[in-house]
Amino acid sequence: MSEDELPALRRRITAVLVVSQILGGLGVATGIALAAVLAQQVSGTEALSGLAPTATVAGTALMSMPLAALMTARGRRPGLVLAYVIGALGAGVVVLGAVAESFPLLLLGMAGFGAGSSANLQARFAAADLAEPERRGRAISNVVWATTIGAVLGPNIAAPAGRSVSGLGIPPAAGPFVWAAGVFLVSAVMVLVLLRPDPLLTARALSPADRSAEGRSLRAGVRAVRESPMARLALVTVAVSHTAMVSIMSMTPVALSHHGAGIQLIGLVISGHIAGMYAFSPLMGWLADRIGRLSVIGLAVGLLSLAALLAGTAGASHGQTAAGLFLLGLGWSAGVVSGSALLTDSVPQPARAAVQGLSDLAMSTTAGIGGAVAGLIVAQASYAWLNLVGVCLLLPMAALAIRRALR
């Protein structure tokens, strides 16, 4: 492939990834919208309803490293296709669990369903494989931005999806998973057919020094992170930004309801938060390329800290809470986009897929723990204390960023 052909290839690869991200985000958001409701119906108790989204997060984390190993060996396309297929199978198992009223089967399906989220996470790195170093932030952010469409549309089509299965003996709350399975399969077919040539394999072929299989193992990925201070900072940035966001966001509806907010207002606050997460990611990508990764990591620390301050001191002021959640989304976007770009910059090309899988494992695992601990903090202390803990989580990230900047 000549240098003149690369720009057209980059545009085509990005277009395929953007469309697959829209579909994948739609499938995830459609199913997750009623996951807790379905879990409550099948288990018969509200106390177990939170296990459904927790199982999804666990599935996402468990799939991260196997997918990274497959992509390291065979390229992006087989890894993304497998993730979408497993997500579709998981959605099917969720439906079977709902019909059979089997809660363990439902949780097993939710874990498989989490593979769809793994595909969405890995797609942002696929966009960076062929991007020029000075444009990696924008390449990643364009794919992250595409999630906005699916995240907004997904919850809105959950009700029609439930009605569509009413005559099939399937509970309405399981209907979204029927649709999600179909969407994931469409995504898998599209990636299989159109994501050619494979971006990761093409990037290796274009770099003679990276054609050797040496250095592509998961062990080499761990070693690459250990040997690169910038890679460690990037890994911490992505994990901490995601964990702080999930922990605070997950308990905000509870805090709002305690201060008299209705379902409609809570929905508007969360919608504003989602807009902050995804809609402004191209801006964060442009800033990461223009003023540097470290500067945008510093911006992420500032935005997340300000968000925690506003939300934690809002009390009955719903407007202040909404402002805090919007800034929380912006801070997440700044941290994930700049951290992902810095991670790709900081490790050798052969080890990138393994390191990127390690990043997704870290962010999913820590966010799952953070979401579980957040409920305990609010129950034992308060929502304000949760936000204070969120700020404390940012301190190691800020310290590492300042240390790297000074050096």
Side-chain angles (χ1 to χ4, degrees), residues 77-151:
R77 187 171 63 253
L80 292 175
V81 169
L82 179 63
Y84 282 129
V85 169
I86 293 176
L89 292 174
V93 173
V94 169
V95 175
L96 289 177
V99 173
E101 298 184 349
S102 170
F103 191 62
L105 190 61
L106 176 76
L107 293 182
L108 177 63
M110 291 302 303
F113 182 75
S117 294
S118 296
N120 288 348
L121 290 172
Q122 283 292 323
R124 77 189 193 277
F125 290 121
D129 287 333
L130 291 174
E132 305 99 316
E134 67 274 10
R135 294 184 62 89
R136 278 187 187 135
R138 278 165 281 187
I140 291 170
S141 66
N142 287 336
V143 174
V144 173
W145 171 86
T147 311
T148 310
I149 301 174

Side-chain angles (χ1 to χ4, degrees), residues 285-312:
W286 180 82
L287 287 173
D289 290 336
R290 191 62 180 261
I291 66 176
R293 320 302 195 213
L294 291 178
S295 298
V296 180
I297 290 175
L299 176 62
V301 172
L303 288 172
L304 291 169
S305 300
L306 181 57
L309 174 64
L310 288 174

Side-chain angles (χ1 to χ4, degrees), residues 150-247:
V152 171
L153 289 180
N156 292 305
I157 67 172
R163 292 193 296 268
S164 70
V165 299
S166 58
L168 302 176
I170 298 174
F177 289 94
V178 176
W179 285 32
V183 170
F184 283 156
L185 290 176
V186 171
S187 299
V189 171
M190 188 186 71
V191 170
L192 179 65
V193 174
L194 299 179
L195 197 67
R196 296 174 182 271
D198 189 285
L200 179 58
L201 300 184
T202 303
R204 288 175 180 168
L206 292 173
S207 177
D210 297 330
R211 291 176 186 172
S212 170
E214 186 179 355
R216 295 182 189 171
S217 66
L218 294 179
R219 181 178 297 177
V222 174
R223 184 170 62 250
V225 172
R226 189 171 59 244
E227 294 174 351
S228 171
M230 283 295 193
R232 294 198 297 272
L233 168 61
L235 202 66
V236 169
T237 297
V238 172
V240 170
S241 298
H242 192 58
T243 302
M245 183 277 292
V246 169
S247 301

